[in-house]
Amino acid sequence: MSDKRDDDGPAQYASPPCFMHELDPDYQMPLSDWTDVRRWRKAERERLIGARLAVSADARAAMSQRIAEGLDMLVGKVAGLMVSLYWPFRGEPDLRGFMASINARGGRTALPVVIEKGRPLVFRAYAPGDRLEKGVWNIPIPAEGDPVLPDIVISPVVGIDPSNYRLGYGGGFYDRTLAAMSFRPLVIGVGYELQRIPTIYPQPHDIPMTKVVTEAAGA
């Protein structure tokens, strides 16, 4: 997952750059300088969030339901599993109903918590009805609770490329978190088909997701 760290480093490619013109006729020459990549990521992030917010609330709700159905098929039985989700923000798929269903079927759920910039996330157990407080960007987080280790991490994407590298909000939190975990959970990115892009120019520390689920299909 790839909320970008501020580290400098040579740009890599998730998709062969020689075929970019076939994937997107408006695509320009591949970027090799990290300053240019960072500038591109910022602009692409803003474009994709704007496109997501331009979709009507009713349409997003319908797409969120299809994403939840796709997750159900992918995850299967949830009894005994700890699943980390997220609180929807800026037009992200709303999976709070899916979260409630996990708890109703014998699973447990958690939400990510930002402790400090540049540090891994902490996951705290959360079930619908538990007390929340405002976290970073005023996103609700569990007000109390010990850290937990999820078996499955479901993360929203800003952009997603064909190799399952995730363009996030630019903080690098998920990459740091996955790198620091003692075991690798099943990592599922969720988003809309309109968020698919040819590449995010992944860096060596970026970690691809195991699976991606959109309103159309899983990959």
Side-chain angles (χ1 to χ4, degrees):
M1 299 166 99
S2 82
D3 276 346
K4 178 66 191 69
R5 301 185 199 182
D6 292 329
D7 304 350
D8 289 346
Q12 308 285 324
Y13 303 100
S15 306
C18 57
F19 294 114
M20 290 300 178
H21 67 287
E22 297 179 15
L23 296 172
D24 183 352
D26 295 327
Y27 200 85
Q28 303 300 312
M29 290 295 292
L31 306 177
S32 58
D33 181 80
W34 175 237
T35 300
D36 292 336
V37 172
R38 184 162 47 192
R39 187 181 300 115
W40 176 88
R41 279 194 178 188
K42 180 179 179 181
E44 189 70 351
R45 192 176 288 122
E46 293 172 356
R47 182 187 72 80
L48 290 166
I49 291 173
R52 184 172 72 192
L53 289 170
V55 177
S56 72
D58 286 345
R60 287 202 305 267
M63 291 191 290
S64 295
Q65 178 59 37
R66 291 197 291 273
I67 289 169
E69 292 168 358
L71 287 169
D72 239 350
M73 293 180 62
L74 177 61
V75 174
K77 294 181 179 179
V78 296
L81 296 178
M82 173 64 76
V83 183
S84 171
L85 290 104
Y86 60 92
W87 200 268
F89 173 70
R90 300 190 71 185
E92 293 169 344
D94 188 345
L95 300 177
R96 286 175 289 184
F98 179 62
M99 185 187 305
S101 78
I102 291 173
N103 285 275
R105 289 179 288 162
R108 298 178 65 206
T109 51
L111 293 175
V113 179
V114 175
I115 300 299
E116 184 180 332
K117 181 179 179 181
R119 290 183 56 192
L121 297 165
V122 168
F123 299 99
R124 286 184 188 160
Y126 170 79
D130 289 353
R131 189 167 70 89
L132 295 164
E133 63 185 18
K134 290 182 179 180
V136 174
W137 298 314
N138 290 323
I139 299 173
I141 60 173
E144 58 260 326
D146 294 329
V148 298
L149 289 176
D151 302 292
I152 301 172
V153 174
I154 297 173
S155 171
V157 306
V158 174
I160 180 69
D161 79 4
S163 296
N164 288 353
Y165 282 98
R166 168 186 179 271
L167 178 67
Y169 291 102
F173 292 109
Y174 273 101
D175 289 317
R176 292 186 180 92
T177 303
L178 294 174
M181 291 181 72
S182 58
F183 69 97
R184 179 72 189 273
L186 175 64
V187 184
I188 306 173
V190 293
Y192 311 121
E193 280 295 307
L194 62 85
Q195 294 170 278
R196 291 192 181 275
I197 55 178
T199 185
I200 71 158
Y201 295 101
Q203 301 300 292
H205 55 260
D206 288 332
I207 299 175
M209 291 163 292
T210 313
K211 297 286 184 178
V212 175
V213 176
T214 71
E215 77 278 10

